[in-house]
Amino acid sequence: MARFTLPRDLYHGKGALEALKGLEGKKAIVCVGGGSMKRFGFLDKAVSYLKEAGMEVDLIEGIEPDPSVETVMKGAEKMLEFEPDWIVAIGGGSPIDAAKAMWIKYEYPDITFEDMCKVFGIPKLRKKAKFCAISSTSGTATEVTAFSIITDYEKGIKYPIADFEITPDVAIVDPELAETMPQKLVAHTGMDAITHAIEAYVSTANCAYTDPLAIFATTMIQENLVGSYNGDMEMRDKMHDAQCLAGMAFSNALLGIVHSMAHKTGAAFADYGAHIIHGAANAMYLPKVIAFNAKDETAKKRYGVIADFMKLGGGSDDEKVTLLINFLRDMNDKLNIPHCIKNYGADSYPCEQGFVPEDVFLERLPEIAKNAIGDACTGSNPRIPTQEEMEKLLKCCYYDTEVDF
């Protein structure tokens, strides 16, 4: 038996933010990140609509990119004091992911972070509050997913929390919010979205309910991402829908080792002054993982189907896989994303020598590989790597060398 779970209600299209007026409750707490939602007036609008719905409103502001365990715990304490019956998260993946984790701790104050990370092991929520997610970026699709990514900075590891319990009750996908994204964010979130779609399609948990979402999202992103990056707002709006469809697919079909590797390398070199931004990590690793997974015949055929839908050409599945890899690498070039960690600058742009020194990478490689294999996303990858294979694959992602194993 399989399960397919999405938010109870999804409001989409320009002006969808007004759906907040229809929420029924007494108290709402709004979780938000740095300042763009406030700067562009969307936070004030959200608060106004909630008050119009008759609710008392409080805020948890300043949720950082790659939210920490500490941020989650502090936010949950505020929720315990305020006692909201609606948690409303607005912004990119970070405030929404943080709010999901806060929600768990709010409903179960004694739960530990370790218990929260047990895959599909969270107890029933909604005894205290329901959850509304409003996305401002076109990539993570956390507004419709059963996932949250929280960073333990002491360990330098990003942990995925995975459970259908944290799938939001209401998702608001209003493209007006996405139109405010800076160009670099458009690139990274867009490549995150196409990774979601491709990984969901070849996942061992794919099914007839997820495949149409994944394949259609892939073609939508193919048609609209570069134009969105270059400032076409009609394409930007379409990307907001495309990433949501990809999210619906992967939330139910799960992901693969592109995400496992991105989770475990993202904060692994923070002591050298930067993170490998999640979407950029996915963009760099996806072509390598496709080459690795394509050694599995079933995965190779499914990559071939993706290439066919994208009209990339190719007479055999091997040719189609090569054309898909080449397409993705070309997309990275058009979006100013490096091809490997060695050339990944601290600002995320390509450079001759990136911020991660070779000797440091090689020293930390065995532990990173071990953590990546243990990541929640690895189990649904079509080919499960050994420790040796994961280390070799990560080396290919560092040096941009061919995957021939």
Side-chain angles (χ1 to χ4, degrees):
M1 181 176 69
R3 179 174 174 177
F4 187 85
T5 300
L6 295 174
R8 171 67 177 80
D9 291 299
L10 192 154
Y11 298 94
H12 58 97
K14 291 194 174 184
L17 191 62
E18 284 194 43
L20 291 172
K21 293 179 183 178
L23 299 188
E24 295 181 358
K26 295 179 180 178
K27 289 183 176 182
I29 197 157
V30 180
C31 303
V32 69
S36 64
M37 290 298 95
K38 181 182 283 188
R39 195 163 60 250
F40 292 107
F42 294 116
L43 178 60
D44 287 344
K45 275 187 182 179
V47 170
S48 175
Y49 291 149
L50 290 166
K51 287 181 177 176
E52 200 173 325
M55 285 192 254
E56 182 184 346
V57 182
D58 202 353
L59 300 177
I60 295 175
E61 297 185 80
I63 296 170
E64 75 276 28
D66 303 305
S68 66
V69 177
E70 290 73 22
T71 293
V72 168
M73 298 306 167
K74 285 178 186 173
E77 284 177 19
K78 185 158 186 178
M79 289 181 185
L80 285 163
E81 291 170 11
F82 185 64
E83 298 184 333
D85 45 21
W86 273 101
I87 298 165
V88 177
I90 183 169
S94 294
I96 298 174
D97 280 5
K100 285 180 176 180
M102 292 172 192
W103 183 24
I104 302 167
K105 187 71 174 174
Y106 169 52
E107 299 241 355
Y108 294 94
D110 294 331
I111 198 169
T112 65
F113 181 66
E114 289 70 26
D115 285 338
M116 289 162 65
C117 292
K118 290 176 181 174
V119 179
F120 295 98
I122 293 170
K124 291 282 182 187
L125 299 179
R126 296 166 180 81
K127 294 180 179 179
K128 293 181 180 179
K130 291 182 179 179
F131 194 98
C132 173
I134 307 161
S135 55
S136 68
T137 61
S138 301
T140 67
T142 188
E143 73 274 6
V144 293
T145 75
F147 294 89
S148 163
I149 308 298
I150 305 298
T151 302
D152 184 329
Y153 283 91
E154 284 186 20
K155 295 179 180 176
I157 295 176
K158 295 184 179 184
Y159 288 96
I161 299 172
D163 199 291
F164 288 119
E165 283 300 312
I166 61 171
T167 304
D169 298 282
V170 175
I172 295 176
V173 184
D174 188 331
E176 289 183 345
L177 279 68
E179 289 179 4
T180 65
M181 283 192 294
Q183 191 179 45
K184 183 162 74 170
L185 190 58
V186 172
H188 294 160
T189 55
M191 290 308 292
D192 192 18
I194 201 167
T195 305
H196 291 155
I198 291 173
E199 286 211 291
Y201 194 75
V202 301
S203 160
T204 57
N206 75 76
C207 69
Y209 293 85
T210 59
D211 282 353
L213 294 163
I215 207 80
F216 190 68
T218 304
T219 56
M220 278 188 79
I221 296 164
Q222 175 192 19
E223 292 164 4
N224 293 290
L225 176 53
V226 173
S228 171
Y229 177 76
N230 290 323
D232 184 315
M233 288 303 156
E234 187 177 338
M235 290 186 174
R236 182 79 53 88
D237 294 353
K238 288 178 181 176
M239 274 299 303
H240 209 43
D241 289 332
Q243 64 87 31
C244 188
L245 296 174
M248 293 178 190
F250 92 77
S251 186
N252 292 279
L254 307 179
L255 292 164
I257 59 172
V258 178
H259 273 76
S260 302
M261 294 155 65
H263 293 154
K264 295 334 185 209
T265 53
F269 309 101
D271 52 330
Y272 281 80
H275 279 213
I276 302 175
I277 296 170
H278 180 72
N282 283 342
M284 293 189 293
Y285 306 163
L286 180 58
K288 305 302 183 191
V289 170
I290 289 173
F292 176 79
N293 284 343
K295 305 295 189 292
D296 174 271
E297 286 299 318
T298 301
K300 185 198 293 185
K301 282 184 172 58
R302 291 185 75 81
Y303 287 130
V305 173
I306 293 171
D308 286 342
F309 269 88
M310 296 172 74
K311 297 182 171 59
L312 299 180
S316 67
D317 285 329
D318 286 320
E319 287 179 6
K320 291 171 186 178
V321 167
T322 299
L323 289 166
L324 178 58
I325 289 170
N326 291 344
F327 170 84
L328 293 166
R329 288 177 64 88
D330 181 61
M331 183 88 87
N332 286 349
D333 288 336
K334 289 175 178 173
L335 300 174
N336 207 16
I337 295 173
H339 290 297
C340 62
I341 299 170
K342 182 173 181 282
N343 300 131
Y344 183 94
D347 58 1
S348 84
Y349 292 124
C351 63
E352 191 170 332
Q353 179 55 57
F355 83 94
V356 181
E358 182 180 20
D359 59 335
V360 174
F361 173 81
L362 294 173
E363 180 189 340
R364 299 182 186 182
L365 177 60
E367 186 67 16
I368 292 170
K370 176 186 162 191
N371 290 334
I373 291 169
D375 188 89
C377 294
T378 298
S380 48
N381 195 68
R383 191 178 166 204
I384 304 299
T386 63
Q387 174 75 18
E388 181 186 4
E389 287 170 336
M390 180 59 84
E391 288 186 26
K392 286 170 72 175
L393 189 54
L394 283 161
K395 279 185 180 179
C396 290
C397 292
Y398 185 85
Y399 296 108
D400 191 22
T401 48
E402 186 180 348
V403 177
D404 57 1
F405 53 92

